[in-house]
Amino acid sequence: MAGEDSNGALGAMTGILPGALQQGDNAEAIEQVGARAIVPDNQSVSDAGYESDTATTASTSVSSSIWDFSFENGRRYHKFREGRYNFPNDDVEQEREDMKHAMVKLLCQHLHFAPIGNNPQEILDVGTGTGIWAIEMGDTYPSANVLGIDLSPIQPSWVPTNVRFMVDDVESPWLHPKNHFDYIHSRHTIMAIKDWQKLLRTSYEHLKPGGWMELQEIHHFPMSNNNSLTADHPVAQYWKYVDEGLENLGVNFRFSDEGRIATMMRQCGYVNVTERVFHIPIGTWPRNKTLKSVGLYWKTILLDGIQAIALGPMTRGLHWRREQVEAFLVSVRKGYHDNSMLLYMPLVCVYGQRPENQ
């Protein structure tokens, strides 16, 4: 996982900005992604790797009785509600998920956008994955009880005293009472949820009046800053096949398109709904140093996960053989290394509030 470019290592996987990224670069980066106008770097830049730091500080242990896994096509998957989530949960995938967390923090500079105040009491993280976001929220808000739920028991054994994890299916009946949470958060679950309206309504019912829900989802269909990406390009075809496979498995992979989440939140009764869209570059083509680092993160994340993302949708949803998938991925890997297309993906962040009087 380690690698260096001409400027040294990219930085630790804590989401803290590398020392070389100055405040001016950060402000410029935020301005560019907010305006959806990333400025490309005209110089030829070679992509490089990074180093990861998986150390965590902890205080109390969390237990789980569901530790079984299933194995398919050489990858490890969750056993609880087997087949519900079509992507692996093995160590390689967990490292990639933590890198996604670092990338989003580098791009957005925040753990969340909803105005939850300084002393939230009950926070729920839907699809918590490795638990890294929940743990950081627990450290940031010591007043809060932070609960992370996921189908996979892959969270660390030692966590802050106000953080705990539960193996559960968020699309099943919830164990907590209604009017319970101050803030419900979900990120990178676009590949998993089958009934978004049900999830939004259930979340609404379980929020306290005045509580907030926030979704942060990437629209995984690449776009080109110079309109040079064609439909027959291997990268475009890759996401088309993933989309078709997931559709056959009952997952709406296009729900993260701009405006769709916000519209459904309003239909479900949320008020003060706000949508923010950030463009995530793929590769080091932006001129801005922060965005260049974000692009390096994201390109690495996509390449590291190219098999993990494809196997489930293409073998389960499209009934390809594993050998067919692997042969196709050769051209996709080559396609990602072309910086000239100035590729990016939108990150759509939407938050809304349950009315105070309900």
Side-chain angles (χ1 to χ4, degrees):
M1 296 279 291
E4 296 186 355
D5 60 12
S6 58
N7 296 317
L10 176 62
M13 294 250 312
T14 58
I16 299 174
L17 300 180
L21 304 178
Q22 302 300 322
Q23 291 298 320
D25 294 317
N26 301 337
E28 180 188 58
I30 294 171
E31 180 180 354
Q32 287 185 22
V33 296
R36 309 182 197 179
I38 301 176
V39 179
D41 190 345
N42 294 326
Q43 298 180 354
S44 176
V45 180
S46 359
D47 289 348
Y50 49 83
E51 291 183 325
S52 64
D53 180 5
T54 56
T56 58
T57 302
S59 54
T60 61
S61 64
V62 64
S63 61
S64 173
S65 60
I66 308 174
W67 287 99
D68 292 333
F69 300 102
S70 63
F71 295 84
E72 182 180 320
N73 292 317
R75 301 300 296 261
R76 190 187 75 185
Y77 294 80
H78 69 96
K79 188 70 172 177
F80 175 69
R81 304 281 169 87
E82 186 172 357
R84 183 70 181 76
Y85 181 65
N86 295 288
F87 304 92
N89 63 7
D90 46 33
D91 290 346
V92 174
E93 186 67 3
Q94 291 178 47
E95 291 178 3
R96 198 175 72 88
E97 288 298 315
D98 283 348
M99 201 189 312
K100 284 165 67 175
H101 173 77
M103 181 274 292
V104 172
K105 279 185 62 179
L106 182 60
L107 177 68
C108 298
Q109 305 288 304
H110 298 282
L111 285 171
H112 63 88
F113 291 106
I116 62 176
N118 296 324
N119 296 290
Q121 301 301 304
E122 300 290 340
I123 294 175
L124 174 64
D125 186 26
V126 173
T128 194
T130 65
I132 189 170
W133 182 91
I135 291 170
E136 291 193 19
M137 284 293 285
D139 287 335
T140 304
Y141 295 100
S143 65
N145 296 312
V146 183
L147 172 64
I149 62 172
D150 201 277
L151 290 170
S152 294
I154 57 174
Q155 299 77 33
S157 299
W158 293 89
V159 295
T161 55
N162 61 335
V163 177
R164 60 193 180 95
F165 299 109
M166 179 186 299
V167 176
D168 199 5
D169 182 357
V170 71
E171 294 195 80
S172 296
W174 288 23
L175 299 176
H176 287 78
K178 296 180 179 180
N179 308 311
H180 181 75
F181 294 104
D182 298 283
Y183 177 53
I184 299 175
H185 169 269
S186 179
R187 187 176 69 183
H188 305 321
T189 56
I190 193 64
M191 295 180 172
I193 302 300
K194 291 187 176 182
D195 191 338
W196 281 100
Q197 186 175 64
K198 178 183 177 182
L199 176 61
L200 290 174
R201 290 191 184 279
T202 302
S203 299
Y204 182 95
E205 293 172 351
H206 286 79
L207 282 172
K208 298 175 184 176
W212 292 87
M213 178 164 193
E214 179 168 353
L215 303 178
Q216 297 186 2
E217 299 294 344
I218 295 171
H219 191 62
H220 288 84
F221 299 87
M223 302 178 184
S224 171
N225 215 34
N226 57 12
N227 299 314
S228 61
L229 180 66
T230 59
D232 61 351
H233 189 278
V235 172
Q237 288 184 321
Y238 172 85
W239 290 105
K240 174 178 176 289
Y241 293 141
V242 170
D243 178 37
E244 291 175 354
L246 287 174
E247 184 178 11
N248 290 340
L249 294 167
V251 176
N252 181 3
F253 193 42
R254 294 181 176 269
F255 183 65
S256 57
D257 198 6
E258 290 184 39
R260 297 186 67 175
I261 297 174
T263 297
M264 186 171 287
M265 288 189 77
R266 293 187 182 99
Q267 292 172 349
C268 291
Y270 294 86
V271 297
N272 299 320
V273 176
T274 303
E275 178 181 83
R276 301 186 62 173
V277 181
F278 300 84
H279 286 176
I280 309 175
I282 303 174
T284 57
W285 60 264
R287 181 184 301 168
N288 177 271
K289 290 181 179 179
T290 300
L291 294 178
K292 192 184 294 291
S293 296
V294 169
L296 175 55
Y297 267 118
W298 190 227
K299 177 181 172 181
T300 304
I301 291 164
L302 293 174
L303 285 170
D304 284 356
I306 196 169
Q307 183 205 55
I309 296 169
L311 279 175
M314 293 185 190
T315 62
R316 297 177 180 181
L318 299 180
H319 306 294
W320 288 24
R321 298 189 310 276
R322 179 182 175 181
E323 294 76 17
Q324 288 179 281
V325 177
E326 297 290 2
F328 171 65
L329 295 183
V330 173
S331 61
V332 181
R333 289 187 178 93
K334 291 180 181 178
Y336 270 126
H337 287 292
D338 183 0
N339 258 357
S340 67
M341 292 187 297
L342 312 183
L343 297 180
Y344 67 91
M345 293 180 181
L347 168 65
V348 181
C349 302
V350 186
Y351 54 93
Q353 185 180 31
R354 179 175 174 176
E356 295 273 3
N357 57 358
Q358 293 197 9

